[in-house]
Amino acid sequence: MSIKIKRDTGVMGGATPVALKVNSQLVKKLKNNEEYSISSDEGKVKVKANQWFFGSEEKQIESGSRVNIKINNTALLLYVISLIIVFAGGFTSIIPLSLIGLIGIVITVIYSTKRWFKLEIESIAN
């Protein structure tokens, strides 16, 4: 059986390819809305997605599954809010506000190293 993986990251994640790793080995760089099939003799494989230093948690996927790679809206929201706070602090010359925003960006980047993408298992074929 095979596992079908589709990148569905939308506009925010569409700038550069996403590296698809299966069992810790790079197998394909996916463009937005691109689909890739993994054939596996084993019943399960470990799948992970990376883009620069952003990534996803590694998940174990069973044969016959369909997986969608999507942007984690929580990580994206944290990043946007942190950027707004930095810019607001810069425009208003409130240094503590800019500092809070920069700390928020650092926290978001650390959070996003394994949570920028979500691997959603859509269905399992029998």
Side-chain angles (χ1 to χ4, degrees):
M1 290 207 118
S2 68
I3 299 169
K4 292 188 179 188
I5 299 176
K6 182 177 181 183
R7 177 183 171 184
D8 188 16
T9 54
V11 175
M12 290 306 295
T16 60
V18 171
L20 177 64
K21 294 182 180 180
V22 177
N23 295 330
S24 299
Q25 294 183 353
L26 177 66
V27 294
K28 177 82 173 155
K29 291 200 176 219
L30 296 172
K31 298 175 187 167
N32 198 25
N33 293 323
E34 186 176 4
E35 191 169 301
Y36 183 72
S37 292
I38 301 169
S39 56
S40 173
D41 296 332
E42 303 171 14
K44 298 177 183 178
V45 294
K46 291 182 180 180
V47 175
K48 184 176 181 177
N50 282 61
Q51 185 181 48
W52 298 329
F53 49 87
F54 296 126
S56 71
E57 293 180 316
E58 189 173 60
K59 286 198 175 183
Q60 194 162 356
I61 311 294
E62 294 182 17
S63 290
S65 297
R66 181 175 175 86
V67 179
N68 287 326
I69 300 172
K70 295 190 174 196
I71 293 283
N72 182 349
N73 290 330
T74 303
L76 183 61
L77 182 64
L78 287 172
Y79 187 68
V80 170
I81 289 172
S82 297
L83 280 177
I84 289 170
I85 292 171
V86 167
F87 287 127
F91 287 126
T92 61
S93 300
I94 302 174
I95 294 172
L97 193 59
S98 295
L99 185 61
I100 290 169
L102 288 173
I103 291 170
I105 288 174
V106 169
I107 291 169
T108 302
V109 167
I110 292 168
Y111 173 78
S112 299
T113 56
K114 291 191 178 184
R115 293 177 192 89
W116 186 256
F117 298 108
K118 294 188 299 184
L119 301 178
E120 294 182 347
I121 301 170
E122 195 171 89
S123 64
I124 298 177
N126 291 326

Short mmCIF file of all heavy atoms in Angstrom, two decimals, residues 4 12 15 17 20 26 32 40 45 47 65-66 68 74 80 82 89-90 109 120 125-126:
data_model
loop_
_atom_site.label_atom_id
_atom_site.label_comp_id
_atom_site.label_asym_id
_atom_site.label_seq_id
_atom_site.Cartn_x
_atom_site.Cartn_y
_atom_site.Cartn_z
N LYS A 4 -0.39 8.76 0.75
CA LYS A 4 -0.45 9.96 -0.08
C LYS A 4 -0.29 11.19 0.81
O LYS A 4 -1.00 11.34 1.80
CB LYS A 4 -1.76 10.03 -0.86
CG LYS A 4 -1.85 8.95 -1.90
CD LYS A 4 -3.05 9.14 -2.78
CE LYS A 4 -3.06 8.03 -3.81
NZ LYS A 4 -4.07 8.20 -4.82
N MET A 12 0.54 31.69 2.82
CA MET A 12 1.58 31.97 3.82
C MET A 12 2.75 31.00 3.73
O MET A 12 3.87 31.37 4.01
CB MET A 12 0.99 31.92 5.23
CG MET A 12 0.07 33.07 5.54
SD MET A 12 0.79 34.70 5.25
CE MET A 12 2.08 34.73 6.45
N ALA A 15 5.93 30.20 -0.31
CA ALA A 15 7.09 30.87 -0.89
C ALA A 15 8.20 29.90 -1.30
O ALA A 15 8.80 30.06 -2.35
CB ALA A 15 7.63 31.90 0.10
N PRO A 17 9.77 25.61 -1.15
CA PRO A 17 9.35 24.21 -1.02
C PRO A 17 9.45 23.70 0.42
O PRO A 17 10.25 24.21 1.21
CB PRO A 17 10.32 23.44 -1.91
CG PRO A 17 11.00 24.44 -2.75
CD PRO A 17 10.92 25.75 -2.05
N LEU A 20 10.05 17.06 2.60
CA LEU A 20 9.32 15.92 3.16
C LEU A 20 10.33 14.86 3.55
O LEU A 20 11.10 14.38 2.71
CB LEU A 20 8.33 15.38 2.14
CG LEU A 20 7.54 14.15 2.55
CD1 LEU A 20 6.64 14.45 3.73
CD2 LEU A 20 6.72 13.64 1.38
N LEU A 26 15.36 12.74 3.53
CA LEU A 26 14.68 13.62 2.60
C LEU A 26 14.28 12.83 1.36
O LEU A 26 15.11 12.19 0.73
CB LEU A 26 15.59 14.78 2.20
CG LEU A 26 15.04 15.76 1.18
CD1 LEU A 26 13.85 16.52 1.75
CD2 LEU A 26 16.11 16.72 0.73
N ASN A 32 3.53 24.07 -3.21
CA ASN A 32 2.17 24.18 -2.69
C ASN A 32 1.20 23.40 -3.58
O ASN A 32 1.28 23.44 -4.80
CB ASN A 32 1.75 25.64 -2.59
CG ASN A 32 0.57 25.80 -1.68
OD1 ASN A 32 0.33 24.99 -0.80
ND2 ASN A 32 -0.19 26.85 -1.88
N SER A 40 5.31 1.81 0.74
CA SER A 40 6.02 1.26 1.89
C SER A 40 5.72 -0.21 2.05
O SER A 40 4.56 -0.63 2.02
CB SER A 40 5.60 2.01 3.15
OG SER A 40 6.15 1.41 4.29
N VAL A 45 5.35 4.30 8.63
CA VAL A 45 6.56 5.11 8.41
C VAL A 45 6.46 6.37 9.25
O VAL A 45 5.37 6.79 9.62
CB VAL A 45 6.76 5.49 6.92
CG1 VAL A 45 7.04 4.26 6.08
CG2 VAL A 45 5.60 6.26 6.38
N VAL A 47 6.91 10.36 9.33
CA VAL A 47 6.90 11.46 8.37
C VAL A 47 7.07 12.78 9.11
O VAL A 47 6.51 12.98 10.20
CB VAL A 47 5.56 11.46 7.58
CG1 VAL A 47 5.47 12.65 6.66
CG2 VAL A 47 5.41 10.17 6.81
N SER A 65 -2.95 5.63 4.29
CA SER A 65 -3.41 6.91 4.83
C SER A 65 -3.20 8.04 3.82
O SER A 65 -2.40 7.94 2.92
CB SER A 65 -2.67 7.25 6.11
OG SER A 65 -2.91 6.30 7.11
N ARG A 66 -3.92 9.11 4.05
CA ARG A 66 -3.75 10.34 3.29
C ARG A 66 -3.43 11.43 4.30
O ARG A 66 -4.15 11.62 5.28
CB ARG A 66 -5.02 10.66 2.53
CG ARG A 66 -4.95 11.90 1.69
CD ARG A 66 -6.22 12.05 0.88
NE ARG A 66 -6.20 13.29 0.16
CZ ARG A 66 -5.64 13.46 -1.04
NH1 ARG A 66 -5.08 12.43 -1.63
NH2 ARG A 66 -5.65 14.62 -1.63
N ASN A 68 -2.32 15.55 4.98
CA ASN A 68 -2.24 16.93 4.49
C ASN A 68 -1.25 17.69 5.36
O ASN A 68 -1.34 17.66 6.58
CB ASN A 68 -3.60 17.63 4.55
CG ASN A 68 -4.54 17.14 3.49
OD1 ASN A 68 -4.12 16.80 2.39
ND2 ASN A 68 -5.82 17.11 3.81
N THR A 74 -2.09 28.59 14.96
CA THR A 74 -1.67 29.16 16.24
C THR A 74 -0.28 29.77 16.13
O THR A 74 -0.05 30.89 16.60
CB THR A 74 -1.68 28.07 17.34
OG1 THR A 74 -2.98 27.50 17.41
CG2 THR A 74 -1.30 28.64 18.70
N VAL A 80 2.43 36.79 13.82
CA VAL A 80 1.86 38.06 13.34
C VAL A 80 1.64 39.03 14.49
O VAL A 80 1.97 40.22 14.38
CB VAL A 80 0.54 37.79 12.56
CG1 VAL A 80 -0.19 39.09 12.27
CG2 VAL A 80 0.83 37.04 11.27
N SER A 82 3.25 39.13 17.33
CA SER A 82 4.56 39.60 17.78
C SER A 82 5.12 40.66 16.85
O SER A 82 5.69 41.66 17.31
CB SER A 82 5.53 38.42 17.89
OG SER A 82 5.09 37.50 18.85
N GLY A 89 5.71 49.28 18.75
CA GLY A 89 6.71 49.85 19.65
C GLY A 89 7.69 50.74 18.91
O GLY A 89 8.13 51.76 19.44
N GLY A 90 8.02 50.39 17.69
CA GLY A 90 8.93 51.20 16.89
C GLY A 90 8.32 52.52 16.47
O GLY A 90 8.99 53.55 16.46
N VAL A 109 9.46 31.53 17.28
CA VAL A 109 10.41 30.76 16.46
C VAL A 109 10.76 29.45 17.15
O VAL A 109 10.81 28.39 16.51
CB VAL A 109 11.67 31.60 16.16
CG1 VAL A 109 12.79 30.74 15.60
CG2 VAL A 109 11.34 32.73 15.20
N GLU A 120 -1.97 16.45 9.12
CA GLU A 120 -3.33 15.99 9.40
C GLU A 120 -3.61 14.71 8.63
O GLU A 120 -3.53 14.69 7.41
CB GLU A 120 -4.34 17.06 9.00
CG GLU A 120 -4.24 18.31 9.84
CD GLU A 120 -5.29 19.35 9.46
OE1 GLU A 120 -5.94 19.20 8.41
OE2 GLU A 120 -5.44 20.30 10.24
N ALA A 125 -7.44 3.97 4.54
CA ALA A 125 -8.09 3.00 3.65
C ALA A 125 -7.83 1.60 4.19
O ALA A 125 -6.77 1.30 4.70
CB ALA A 125 -7.54 3.12 2.24
N ASN A 126 -8.82 0.76 4.09
CA ASN A 126 -8.69 -0.62 4.54
C ASN A 126 -8.38 -1.54 3.39
O ASN A 126 -8.78 -1.44 2.33
CB ASN A 126 -9.96 -1.10 5.25
CG ASN A 126 -10.14 -0.39 6.59
OD1 ASN A 126 -9.15 -0.07 7.26
ND2 ASN A 126 -11.37 -0.13 6.95
#
